[in-house]
Amino acid sequence: MDLTIEGKTYINGNFEDCCIGITDGRISAIKKILKEDEHYNFRGKIILPAGIDIHVHFRDPGLTHKEDFSPGTMAAAYGGISCVFDMPNTVPQTITLRSLSDKIISAKKRAYVDFGVYAGITDGNIKNIDELAKKCHGFKIYLGGTTNSLHFNSNNLKETFDKIKSTNKPVLIHAEDNNCLVKHKLKENSLVDHMNSRPAECEETAIKNILKASGDTNTRIHICHLSSIEGLELLRKRSKNISCGVTPHHLLFTAQDDLKPQSHYKVNPPLRSNFDREALFVALKNGLIDILESDHAPHTLEEKDKEFNDIPSGLPGVETMFPLFLHMAKKETLSFQRMISLLCEKPVELLNIPKGKIEDGRDADFIVVDLKKDCKIKSENLHSKCGWTPFEGLPAIFPECVFVRGEKLIEDYEMLGAKGFGKFVGE
Ligand code: NCD
Ligand code: ZN
Ligand code: ZN
């Protein structure tokens, strides 16, 4: 063994006082007593699996004035996330083998934590799905227009699901129906206008189309950032191959809240009513929602500071997601079991990676948390290149230490890790 760590550890749904042995970056033993020369005792703290964020936009390549893989993955590390999965709406879009390889090569030089990538599917590259599968962890489809999105005609869903099935990779979907969005489009001055311009009906139509096209194919389908009661109702009796996610912002904010500046909270799908928000929270607690995803979609303050109608949709969140929920778990708003399922266990099941659980043979990715260290989120303490947060002032608990593959990336809330340590996960 290379090192051992000791403390109150989350194993199989319970906390146990134990020691974890680590060899070559993996967990090699879990016992009551283990002690190597390099031994860390985290008495008085808790040890949890590090989180996985299945939904980030690191804007790299092409839009690196907003974010890039270095500050993006640094922010992830500070927020207790050991692995991120990057979306394809970069410039160029990652819709070819070449653009996937280029993104991976460049991200390897910059990443502080591990990462994976999605290949975007558009009407033009459905035939290349087998080839793209060699370089991606999953696929992404946009059924409706959003920031720099890729066009996809929903008539192609069935054929696409059939092709993706044989790759054994999941497909993640932005579920807002484009025809519906076009029909309701308004000139917008506020968050309420944005909500009315992209009504729940559009999410409902998209999810209906997905369910119809998926039929009895067993393709793994993940519906991203669910936002409405209507969408939720359609997923109540879904088959096992279909999962869904929700973001912190849709759980915490509504279009009617007194949010300032309004433009910072312009996001797709839009923030909706308090009924929607509450229903999402109930679904989060009772297990109807599988995954928490940040949809970290940074834009610069300058870009977010124009006429409401013209500003791009999207807000940052990779660093604050786990800390917000650690605070909620402390306050018993959500159980530790549900939180770990949503941030660690279900994401690794979806993406089939050896992380997310404290278990023999898995990557030694942990966070150490001192539950007494509550704080308020402040943009000046965060690390995304965009420099602002929609969660300003909210209570959170950041991890004190973060281990990725047995390496201490963060110690005493400070970064020890290096750029280029992050690996293309699974390689
Ligand atoms: C995302 C972006 O900016 O890339 N924007 C957003 O409002 N969520 C795209 C997306 O996920 O829809
Ligand atoms: Zn989206
Ligand atoms: Zn997104």
Side-chain angles (χ1 to χ4, degrees):
M1 276 180 303
D2 302 323
L3 68 147
T4 43
I5 70 172
E6 178 174 358
K8 191 174 165 195
T9 307
Y10 186 87
I11 296 173
N12 280 331
N14 294 302
F15 283 101
E16 290 176 27
D17 284 315
C18 66
C19 297
I20 308 169
I22 299 162
T23 311
D24 294 333
R26 298 238 167 99
I27 300 169
S28 55
I30 302 171
K31 294 217 166 96
K32 276 272 160 257
I33 300 167
L34 282 171
K35 201 160 186 182
E36 277 297 329
D37 290 346
E38 191 178 351
H39 181 82
Y40 300 97
N41 189 338
F42 293 112
R43 204 174 292 132
K45 324 271 164 79
I46 56 169
I47 302 171
L48 302 172
I52 311 295
D53 193 345
I54 70 160
H55 191 157
V56 303
H57 300 266
F58 280 171
R59 311 299 193 201
D60 191 353
L63 299 164
T64 52
H65 62 289
K66 299 177 197 265
E67 186 70 290
D68 72 58
F69 256 88
S70 282
T73 51
M74 185 187 276
Y78 276 106
I81 302 290
S82 66
C83 189
V84 293
F85 289 86
D86 190 56
M87 288 293 170
N89 60 341
T90 41
V91 179
Q93 296 168 326
T94 39
I95 53 176
T96 62
L97 211 49
R98 179 67 196 270
S99 54
L100 282 166
S101 303
D102 288 350
K103 181 183 272 191
I104 295 164
I105 291 168
S106 139
K108 276 181 183 167
K109 294 184 199 138
R110 303 193 214 217
Y112 286 86
V113 301
D114 293 350
F115 68 95
V117 296
Y118 299 112
I121 301 301
T122 70
D123 301 326
N125 69 355
I126 299 170
K127 57 185 184 304
N128 305 334
I129 282 173
D130 278 337
E131 179 187 273
L132 294 169
K134 292 180 203 150
K135 286 274 173 203
C136 69
H137 290 84
F139 299 93
K140 177 68 185 279
I141 290 174
Y142 293 87
L143 288 179
T146 177
T147 315
N148 191 30
S149 57
L150 294 58
H151 193 268
F152 185 92
N153 184 326
S154 56
N155 293 329
N156 293 330
L157 272 175
K158 184 161 178 2
E159 183 196 351
T160 305
F161 289 161
D162 287 344
K163 282 229 160 66
I164 289 178
K165 182 176 160 52
S166 62
T167 69
N168 205 22
K169 306 213 157 157
V171 55
L172 287 81
I173 309 184
H174 179 114
E176 286 184 288
D177 180 72
N178 211 45
N179 293 332
C180 177
L181 293 177
V182 170
K183 196 168 97 192
H184 290 92
K185 192 163 173 42
L186 298 171
K187 172 125 172 55
E188 303 172 11
N189 282 312
S190 65
L191 290 170
V192 171
D193 290 348
H194 191 55
M195 167 176 75
N196 292 330
S197 186
R198 305 177 76 106
E201 178 194 331
C202 301
E203 186 165 87
E204 194 179 10
T205 306
I207 296 176
K208 275 188 185 153
N209 287 337
I210 294 164
L211 295 177
K212 195 159 132 223
S214 70
D216 48 18
T217 64
N218 268 324
T219 313
R220 284 182 299 131
I221 298 167
H222 176 78
I223 295 169
C224 294
H225 46 42
L226 202 66
S227 65
S228 69
I229 295 183
E230 286 84 343
L232 209 49
E233 283 309 314
L234 285 170
L235 293 170
R236 209 167 271 287
K237 288 198 204 82
R238 60 181 182 263
S239 53
K240 272 217 172 83
N241 56 312
I242 299 178
S243 58
C244 64
V246 70
T247 67
H249 46 276
H250 289 107
L251 290 164
L252 292 170
F253 305 129
T254 76
Q256 282 115 356
D257 294 347
D258 183 23
L259 298 168
K260 283 192 184 96
Q262 292 257 300
S263 61
H264 284 200
Y265 298 83
K266 183 179 180 187
V267 65
N268 299 330
L271 302 178
R272 300 192 191 276
S273 73
N274 202 40
F275 293 116
D276 294 294
R277 192 191 66 76
E278 281 179 348
L280 291 172
F281 225 109
V282 171
L284 190 80
K285 286 187 180 179
N286 70 18
L288 183 56
I289 286 170
D290 303 283
I291 290 179
L292 265 165
E293 56 194 65
S294 74
D295 191 10
H296 178 79
H299 299 286
T300 63
L301 277 171
E302 198 187 357
E303 289 164 334
K304 277 295 220 183
D305 210 13
K306 301 208 167 103
E307 287 262 324
F308 190 93
N309 192 63
D310 305 328
I311 56 165
S313 291
L315 46 84
V318 67
E319 186 166 354
T320 43
M321 177 166 67
F322 208 161
L324 283 165
F325 281 87
L326 282 167
H327 186 267
M328 289 187 218
K330 173 180 167 174
K331 294 283 173 202
E332 297 180 11
T333 313
L334 189 73
S335 66
F336 276 93
Q337 282 81 359
R338 284 300 301 140
M339 178 181 70
I340 298 297
S341 172
L342 288 153
L343 285 167
C344 312
E345 294 164 356
K346 290 284 181 163
V348 304
E349 263 172 44
L350 180 73
L351 289 149
N352 197 18
I353 54 166
K355 295 181 177 285
K357 292 178 196 169
I358 299 182
E359 185 176 277
D360 245 359
R362 287 188 182 260
D363 286 357
D365 293 10
F366 320 108
I367 63 170
V368 179
V369 180
D370 183 344
L371 288 171
K372 296 185 290 298
K373 297 272 168 70
D374 306 54
C375 68
K376 292 241 182 327
I377 293 173
K378 282 200 186 121
S379 58
E380 71 225 43
N381 297 334
L382 301 178
H383 301 85
S384 164
K385 198 184 256 187
C386 75
W388 60 278
T389 172
F391 304 104
E392 189 77 36
L394 293 188
I397 301 175
F398 286 83
E400 176 179 311
C401 286
V402 178
F403 287 83
V404 178
R405 285 180 277 108
E407 291 290 324
K408 211 195 256 171
L409 235 55
I410 296 207
E411 181 178 52
D412 206 10
Y413 307 96
E414 293 297 335
M415 175 61 76
L416 299 182
K419 225 191 241 195
F421 170 78
K423 268 194 178 166
F424 185 58
V425 59
E427 196 168 58

